[in-house]
Amino acid sequence: MLAAAAALAAAVQPALGAQPAGPVRLAAGPSAFPPDVLRAVVAATGCSVQVVPPLAPGAAPGSGVDMVEMRGEDAGTLIASGRLSVIDEPTVNGLGDVPGRLRDALRDASGGLRAVPYLWSPQLLLARSKAFGGQPPTSLRALFSRQGALRAALPDSPLELALAARYLGIGDPFALARDELNSAREVVAPASRLLHLYSSATQLRTLFRRGEIDLALGNPSTLGAQRAGVVATLPSEGTIATERVLAIVSGSPRAGCARRLAGALLAPPAQAQLSLVRGLLPVRSAACVMLSETACRTVQRALSRTLANSAVAVHPIAAEGVTGWPEWVGEWVLLRG
């Protein structure tokens, strides 16, 4: 822990000064940040942190919250409402190294960045080696056909309609017209009654362990020890990616400390620790200095190749000619029914 704190302090080099009394109140899940990571971040920045309960889905941060940790796709409503501060990008250490593709999904209509990505995860085709040998499927067709769906799994989320849109070759899979959304559902529909739909990494591991599936779409890191028997490939049509983000609540008197905390969580030691604990990917290749050679190659390949072929997930917001999130949820419910 002392070594991590020293490494973070060297990486962040905060400009300490007079700060408003009290800790930065960070709304996050109880397992989002391991205690060792938080202690090292506090030591590096000189800013104290109090973790408070996460926001409920669709809820706005209250007056007792300075900073929010959430899924990137959940940030759209808050961005549109103006409840999140615009991030002065040069003031967050390391943010300039985060690929623009991860940042762009978090900008407001005028281009202002409203949240800081700090971890991300692409959806890859996960094929059991014993079932496919050295020729794992490379196309999403293997998931969406009747023939393969008996032993395949898909995340149980309306966002998978964006994946179907990628299969159809639609340019922006998260901005679909009514007929495009219908077409995306119709791609999944033939296999929907045969596909296993999972809502957690535990469920996915169970499906593989019991031999109920040979193919899935998901994050290979969540498979744990089972990963050795699974080959992960990027679908030839491209994929979708999710991210975890940090946002500063508008009007927070502790915004300066919040920015420094975000920068500390982008520092290589924190990136490496969080990636290992959470089973997600760092957003900076600089994390390689704290990872094994194999893990470093995985991160570099993901940031250079996989991210370039990924559409970063957002909850669609209704606009002229395109559908909104309630319509996507309705289509997914219809598909599952």
Side-chain angles (χ1 to χ4, degrees), residues 92-243:
V92 178
N93 285 340
L95 184 55
D97 294 335
V98 177
R101 188 175 288 266
L102 290 172
R103 285 182 279 164
D104 289 346
L106 301 166
R107 298 189 184 279
D108 59 26
S110 64
L113 186 68
R114 296 278 179 163
V116 175
Y118 74 101
L119 291 172
W120 73 289
S121 174
Q123 292 190 357
L124 303 178
L125 282 170
L126 310 177
R128 190 192 296 274
S129 301
K130 289 184 178 179
F132 296 100
Q135 294 184 318
T138 58
S139 171
L140 294 172
R141 181 181 294 109
L143 282 171
F144 297 143
S145 68
R146 289 177 182 271
Q147 182 178 0
L150 274 173
R151 300 187 58 79
L154 193 70
D156 187 4
S157 167
L159 290 175
E160 300 313 308
L161 293 171
L163 191 81
R166 292 226 60 164
Y167 177 69
L168 293 172
I170 295 173
D172 185 348
F174 294 101
L176 303 182
R178 179 78 256 179
D179 61 334
E180 292 173 332
L181 183 60
N182 287 338
S183 295
R185 176 176 55 81
E186 289 170 3
V187 165
V188 187
S192 61
R193 296 186 182 278
L194 304 174
L195 280 168
H196 295 269
L197 297 176
Y198 69 90
S199 57
S200 70
T202 300
Q203 285 182 292
L204 178 60
R205 288 194 294 270
T206 299
L207 288 169
F208 269 117
R209 185 177 66 251
R210 291 178 177 173
E212 296 181 43
I213 60 172
D214 294 317
L215 182 68
L217 192 82
N219 174 8
S221 297
T222 62
L223 293 177
Q226 293 169 284
R227 185 175 178 179
V230 174
V231 177
T233 57
L234 174 67
S236 58
E237 300 89 352
T239 189
I240 63 175
T242 57
E243 55 187 346

Side-chain angles (χ1 to χ4, degrees), residues 17-80:
Q19 294 297 317
V24 172
R25 291 161 296 193
L26 170 59
S31 60
F33 301 106
D36 282 356
V37 171
L38 283 183
R39 282 193 290 267
V41 164
V42 168
T45 62
C47 298
S48 57
V49 182
Q50 178 186 357
V51 177
V52 300
L55 297 185
S63 58
V65 176
D66 301 299
M67 196 174 186
V68 179
E69 193 277 347
M70 65 183 130
R71 300 184 306 178
E73 61 265 30
D74 290 337
T77 301
L78 291 180
I79 291 174

